[in-house]
Amino acid sequence: MSETPETICHWEQVQRQWKWEWASYHSHAAAYWTAGGEGGTTELLDLATLAPEPPDLRVDLAYGSRWEKVSGTGTNVVVAAVDLPESESPVGEGWRLVETVSR
């Protein structure tokens, strides 16, 4: 008796993320948000952390100061992955089918 092969679909959830720069009317060195740095900021764009939303951190209290996305840093980041039978698909936004495998 032969078994019917099972098809498994590999899904990934992708989220768009950016590096964030503090825009302020106070003159200061560039301040980019970083999850790992002391004080939550760095002066080096290469050390900045990707995030989908601006951080909840204030660099100064100047009126109109805010976090802005750094142009050109938008990146698709895989935030979750799951293998499901062919008849099922994940719930939520940002899921894409990456690979289908028959076992």
Side-chain angles (χ1 to χ4, degrees), residues 5-103:
E6 178 184 22
T7 301
I8 300 295
C9 298
H10 180 72
W11 295 84
E12 291 181 343
Q13 187 177 33
V14 177
Q15 183 181 63
R16 191 77 171 165
Q17 297 185 5
W18 296 266
K19 294 185 179 189
W20 296 86
E21 179 178 21
W22 186 252
S24 177
Y25 296 106
H26 280 272
S27 59
H28 56 73
Y32 302 101
W33 178 72
T34 182
E38 187 176 319
T41 63
T42 179
E43 292 181 6
L44 302 174
L45 181 60
D46 289 346
L47 299 179
T49 303
L50 292 167
E53 300 292 329
D56 189 24
L57 172 72
R58 301 209 38 97
V59 176
D60 61 49
L61 300 176
Y63 177 77
S65 296
R66 66 199 171 281
W67 288 103
E68 291 187 348
K69 297 173 185 173
V70 177
S71 179
T73 64
T75 303
N76 288 333
V77 177
V78 175
V79 294
V82 66
D83 291 329
L84 296 172
E86 186 177 30
S87 61
E88 298 180 27
S89 60
V91 177
E93 294 182 16
W95 288 98
R96 66 179 180 193
L97 180 61
V98 177
E99 180 180 26
T100 303
V101 178
S102 294
R103 296 182 186 174

